[in-house]
Amino acid sequence: MLQAILHGKAGRIDGDKGQSISWREVFKGREDLMTAAVFGRFAYLSAPVQATLMQRWLRVTEPAFDDFEKIDFWPSYQLVSNDQKRRVEPDVVLNFASATVILEIKPPNGGDQDIDQWRREVESFLLSGERSQLPLYFLAIGRIPNKLVLGNWAQQLSKKLDGINAVVWQRVVNDLLELDNGKLACEPNTQDKRIIADILQTAGLYQLRTQFYSWETLLDHPLPRLSLQQPLLRDKPNPKAPAQPEPQPFSAPQAPHSWHDLATFATSHPISLKDINTWNK
């Protein structure tokens, strides 16, 4: 289904107001679909890759997170507050033999993270008594607050948790890219690489950057030398405009000189991003 959506083959459905909407747009607007597409595949990664990602995202070195058991999507817990009962559903609970990780996920263009939601999810899980003998961690992904607010939120929950952290989606994608390009100590196997490729395709659907562009790679790429005589720096002919004398090529003034001439030339010869071909790695 994911590949059909990514390649525009999933068709269209009728929206709430009777309009026709592509599955691709529906997918992009639903955080639950992104959660399932990314972390449904996390369960199939090898133990070394899972361990590397969890330690990086949680910013811990212990536990190892190399003993994954199962993943629960939207588990339901009961929370009692002011004599009222309510159901609370974290997005994901990752069960390792040595620890438990609660995940709260927001898509890049979704709603923001909320400390009250975090608190409800942690408290309801603790009240359930599940896996109470194991360390408990909390990880928020996407739409996180600034560092000052995040630090305050983490401090409020730190007494109930063994670890807490939040990362933006681009950081998640960057770690996957580094894994895929052999830039981390962990070496993904063939199956890992296929799974990572699927996750990166999903990330691209949300306009996340899914390729590395470095100055080193750019310098190694043979590019043509540019000068002020390039066609892009010359006036483009306008068929509706009256004939004008052929503009003279710009020549830099001899020293001593002012930047005035160069600035005048630059403002009269604007370059649009549309004039620049996309550089493919």
Side-chain angles (χ1 to χ4, degrees):
M1 183 63 178
L2 175 62
Q3 292 302 322
I5 291 171
L6 292 173
H7 292 86
K9 300 296 184 180
R12 306 178 71 85
I13 61 173
D14 292 333
D16 296 336
K17 298 180 179 179
Q19 74 276 32
S20 178
I21 307 173
S22 70
W23 266 107
R24 187 182 182 93
E25 291 305 313
V26 172
F27 191 95
K28 290 166 63 176
R30 295 295 300 273
E31 66 179 66
D32 292 344
L33 296 178
M34 186 180 193
T35 298
V38 173
F39 282 93
R41 285 160 174 75
F42 177 88
Y44 299 101
L45 292 168
S46 65
V49 169
Q50 289 177 338
T52 297
L53 293 174
M54 292 311 303
Q55 288 185 337
R56 289 177 70 86
W57 295 341
L58 284 168
R59 293 195 301 181
V60 297
T61 56
E62 294 290 340
F65 292 110
D66 60 354
D67 48 8
F68 176 77
E69 293 182 336
K70 68 171 185 172
I71 182 169
D72 292 328
F73 287 97
W74 309 287
S76 181
Y77 303 107
Q78 184 170 277
L79 179 64
V80 180
S81 178
N82 298 324
D83 296 326
Q84 293 184 340
K85 296 181 180 180
R86 62 184 301 181
R87 304 304 297 181
V88 179
E89 292 185 352
D91 288 324
V92 175
V93 174
L94 295 173
N95 297 302
F96 296 86
S98 55
T100 305
V101 184
I102 299 174
L103 273 68
E104 179 54 38
I105 300 169
K106 303 293 184 186
N109 297 319
D112 293 333
Q113 297 282 353
D114 179 9
I115 178 61
D116 291 330
Q117 185 180 24
W118 293 10
R119 185 182 292 108
R120 290 192 299 269
E121 292 174 0
V122 171
E123 291 178 354
S124 63
F125 182 84
L126 292 173
L127 283 173
S128 74
E130 289 186 13
R131 302 166 62 85
S132 58
Q133 76 281 11
L134 297 176
L136 178 61
Y137 294 82
F138 187 92
L139 175 63
I141 300 179
R143 306 295 294 179
I144 63 175
N146 59 54
K147 290 184 178 181
L148 182 62
V149 173
L150 179 59
N152 180 267
W153 289 8
Q155 187 175 14
Q156 292 182 48
L157 293 174
S158 60
K159 293 181 180 180
K160 301 178 181 181
L161 296 163
D162 293 272
I164 180 172
N165 195 34
V167 293
V168 297
W169 269 109
Q170 192 59 59
R171 162 70 189 281
V172 171
V173 172
N174 288 349
D175 286 343
L176 291 170
L177 286 170
E178 289 190 356
L179 266 172
D180 197 40
N181 286 275
K183 296 186 177 182
L184 299 182
C186 171
E187 183 67 31
N189 60 36
T190 302
Q191 178 174 305
D192 290 327
K193 284 183 169 291
R194 291 178 183 141
I195 296 168
I196 290 171
D198 270 2
I199 298 175
L200 291 176
Q201 280 189 295
T202 302
L205 188 63
Y206 292 86
Q207 285 76 54
L208 292 163
R209 180 175 56 82
T210 57
Q211 284 186 314
F212 273 137
Y213 295 100
S214 65
W215 283 112
E216 180 180 316
T217 308
L218 180 61
L219 292 173
D220 290 340
H221 192 81
L223 296 173
R225 184 180 298 276
L226 298 178
S227 74
L228 292 177
Q229 305 302 319
Q230 292 295 119
L232 288 177
L233 297 177
R234 299 181 180 178
D235 290 327
K236 295 181 179 179
N238 183 351
K240 297 182 179 180
Q244 298 290 334
E246 182 70 22
Q248 295 299 313
F250 173 79
S251 59
Q254 300 297 317
H257 65 272
S258 164
W259 286 101
H260 174 75
D261 292 337
L262 184 57
T264 300
F265 173 81
T267 54
S268 62
H269 295 75
I271 301 178
S272 167
L273 288 176
K274 294 181 180 179
D275 296 323
I276 303 175
N277 291 328
T278 302
W279 173 63
N280 294 318
K281 181 178 177 182

